[in-house]
Amino acid sequence: MTRLIAEITEHDRRYYEQDAPSISDAEYDALMRRLRALEAEHPALLRADSPTQKVSGQAAEGFAKSRHLAPMLSLDNAFAESDFTEFAARIRRFLSLAETEPLDFIAEPKIDGLSVNLLYEHGRFVKGATRGDGAEGEDITANLLTLADVPRELPAPCPALIEIRGEVFMDRADFEAFRATQEAALAEREARKARGEKLGPAVTIPVNPRNAAAGSLRQLDPGITAQRPLKLFAYAMGEASEVPTTTHHGWLETLKRWGFRVNPLSTPLREGATDLLSETPVAFQARLGRERPSLAYEIDGVVYKLDRLDWQARLGFVGRAPRWAIAWKFPAEQARTRLLRIEIQVGRTGALTPRAVMEPVFVGGVTVTHATLHNEDEIARKDIREGDTIILQRAGDVIPQVVEVVDAGRPDRGPPYAFPTLCPACGSHAVRENDDVVRRCTGGLICPAQTVERLRHFVSRRCLDIEGMGEERIETLHAMGLLGSPAEIFRLHTHATQLEALEGWGRLSTQKLFDAIAARRNPPLERFLFALGIRRIGEQNAKLLARHYHSIGALRVKMEAARIIGSEAREELGSIQGIGPAIATELVEFFAEPHNLEALDALLAEVTPEDAAVIEAGENPFAGKALVFTGTLETLSRQEAEARAEALGAKVTKSVSKKTDFVVVGADAGSKAAKAAELGVTVLSEIQFREMAGLG
Ligand code: IVH
């Protein structure tokens, strides 16, 4: 039985994690049957970790979540010299410095990669995570251990606890070689497919170095990551029990001493300098812009950081970005190409969106064939016509845009573009309402494009997050007539035989999908609301509504009552901070539409959204608990945070002991954070504290 368990577990791993099974489904089933039979014969020997006791596909869950001790923030952008000057002036004003006071900055290339957070405890690398949403990322420790640039140990003296941040990237040359390998592997796979042979794992072709680095880091098998040529430039500090330096340049020196790769182009600069010796930010920006094409890796700008850490601490943060740093981006790259035709896509709300299909052109590091045209008015304003030669622009990750037409005066030019007034997907009328710039299909539920797009949204990562329901599968199921509404997703298992028979599905993969669906029958209310795809109800608004109304039942009753303008329910809706009149109208209209209510009822027969937590004094995570704040909070003053905790029934104390329940760590937290880690007291980031305290 032990041997069988080990064997099956290994096959599960190959199947779910590596997408590379080495035995047939029938052989796998035989192993499982044998194990089940033995377990039935010897119930006393049944092990809790037996694969027969597990929902299959659990291993495919991916990475564990990992909370950053200090949030990983982003940077404000500058695009022109005036933005930079304003940034420096703001610093001088904030610190009450004279206008003539020169400011020392460190300029660092802004690496176009993926930021990661490395946690060191007593000099040992213990955990590494992706940035995620800034508060919480994915635990990719095993993958980061494969990078030579991640030291396992830091030489003494080093702080008891420190988070080190940096950018994982792939050199351009390594990327080209890697892409060539992947292309060859894909060609080989296609050939096998043509010969009807077993295919093996899927092969993806990365579009740029950043994408290649991201894909490589997110491998469930660190063995694959190990084969990828990844590097890491370290540049920042997160939580630290003790800050080992007083300047940013000192910090970079420390990182080097500890064995990290630090970008050699990092340069001290002086803004407002009168001596002619040091380079100014303006000169540096221009120089790096010129050197950019010859660098070994891709950069998309320069990050300027104020050198003095005491000043950084005083400046703090606004929103999600520090006041003491700025990312000055290089201008977008442009290229010229021909517009072959204009294509119309229909979105989940019926919006008709025009897209340019162009002759392939290399711009901003990638070859592009499509660009956004925004909307009907934009096409008319720029008078863009099929067959025109156009200037295309691409900045960073942004979708390419058409800047202008360059040969508008040519004699053989075609007629102006006529935007369709019928939906290309279902033939219904497409109309523009009031002052809406968007033309929408009026087909509603009969429009296949809207149905598929709605389903895609419903199962997407930020909504119900159903793994294994890709676009292709949704389209297939929709075309087969098995899937027309979100509720039907939860009835797919009644068509098991039909699905298993589909090419590329099979028994295991179909079961895996059913398991993934079954696991989502109790979605958090906010996700459920976002998934409904109500216009103007994005993730943020869904959260606000969930927090306010707590349950789908209550929300629905209130929305129906809110139909009457001036009613108490309507006033209540309008009083929610962040919900304006346009959003309120959209919501009320959604809940007034009979076919929406029908769809909702059908869905609620299948799923039960989890109510949002109600936070009231007496029954909240802090009631009766001992709390210590340490470090500087960024979004709350210390008084406000303490007052809030006390209002929730917590006792706020000054020192950490075994009796402490929570330690909330702000920026630059010192020994208390270390002590908390030592005693195993739950440590909360400011973001976590806000969430738990109902401050959002
Ligand atoms: S410092 C609080 N330095 O840019 C400051 N970021 O827009 C945190 N990045 O998420 C960032 N090179 O992924 C910093 N030399 C550099 C960087 C850099 C690239 C990325 C990083 C961050 C994003 C912010």
Side-chain angles (χ1 to χ4, degrees), residues 73-75 108-111 115 131 167 235 303 305 322 324:
L73 298 141
S74 56
L75 293 168
E108 295 170 10
K110 186 168 188 298
I111 312 300
S115 51
R131 178 175 186 277
E167 201 85 355
Y235 52 65
V303 184
K305 301 176 182 175
W324 43 265

Side-chain angles (χ1 to χ4, degrees), residues 71-77 107-116 131 165-168 210 233-237 248 252 263 266 299-305 312 317 320-327 329:
M72 291 182 79
L73 298 141
S74 56
L75 293 168
D76 278 339
N77 291 325
E108 295 170 10
K110 186 168 188 298
I111 312 300
D112 204 3
L114 242 92
S115 51
V116 294
R131 178 175 186 277
R165 273 102 195 242
E167 201 85 355
V168 172
R210 185 193 137 79
F233 277 132
Y235 52 65
M237 194 186 331
H248 185 63
L252 294 180
N263 194 296
S266 303
I299 65 173
D300 56 354
V302 179
V303 184
Y304 296 88
K305 301 176 182 175
Q312 287 190 6
F317 297 80
R320 303 180 54 76
R323 286 195 188 84
W324 43 265
I326 200 159
K329 297 288 193 68

Side-chain angles (χ1 to χ4, degrees), residues 544-609:
L544 294 175
L545 292 169
R547 277 207 200 118
H548 188 87
Y549 294 103
H550 305 299
S551 75
I552 183 71
L555 176 83
R556 183 162 169 181
V557 169
K558 291 286 176 89
M559 288 309 110
E560 284 175 22
R563 231 181 279 178
I564 299 161
I565 297 187
S567 63
E568 208 176 297
R570 184 65 168 242
E571 298 285 301
E572 182 185 348
L573 177 58
S575 75
I576 303 175
Q577 188 84 31
I579 302 285
I583 301 172
T585 307
E586 208 66 71
L587 265 167
V588 170
E589 282 179 2
F590 179 90
F591 284 94
E593 187 70 55
H595 74 246
N596 287 338
L597 295 179
E598 257 168 54
L600 187 62
D601 281 333
L603 190 53
L604 290 175
E606 303 292 342
V607 306
T608 310

Side-chain angles (χ1 to χ4, degrees), residues 178-199 201-205:
F178 172 57
R179 181 162 59 185
T181 323
Q182 292 297 92
E183 274 167 356
L186 185 65
E188 168 62 24
R189 198 169 186 273
E190 292 298 315
R192 276 203 299 268
K193 195 171 178 178
R195 294 195 298 266
E197 294 171 9
K198 216 170 160 54
L199 293 184
V203 175
T204 48
I205 308 288

Side-chain angles (χ1 to χ4, degrees), residues 8-21 28 32 51 54-62 220 467 507-513 515-516:
I8 294 172
T9 307
E10 172 60 16
H11 288 306
D12 277 344
R13 202 179 63 79
R14 282 168 166 276
Y15 185 88
Y16 290 113
E17 294 179 19
Q18 305 179 343
D19 290 325
Y28 177 88
M32 277 296 249
K54 264 192 295 199
V55 184
S56 57
Q58 252 175 6
E61 281 291 274
L220 285 167
E467 219 172 299
R507 196 194 60 83
L508 265 178
S509 134
T510 307
Q511 187 54 46
K512 189 170 151 187
L513 176 65
D515 291 345

Side-chain angles (χ1 to χ4, degrees), residues 287-303:
R287 181 164 66 82
L288 212 67
R290 285 192 302 275
E291 287 171 7
R292 179 186 186 191
S294 52
L295 295 183
Y297 42 84
E298 287 198 344
I299 65 173
D300 56 354
V302 179
V303 184

Side-chain angles (χ1 to χ4, degrees), residues 458 464 490 517 520-523 528 602-609:
F458 190 85
L464 279 253
F490 297 92
I517 294 171
R520 294 294 185 262
R521 283 188 184 259
N522 298 103
F528 181 79
L603 190 53
L604 290 175
E606 303 292 342
V607 306
T608 310

Side-chain angles (χ1 to χ4, degrees), residues 98-110:
E99 263 171 55
T100 47
E101 173 97 29
L103 292 177
D104 287 320
F105 288 101
I106 303 298
E108 295 170 10
K110 186 168 188 298

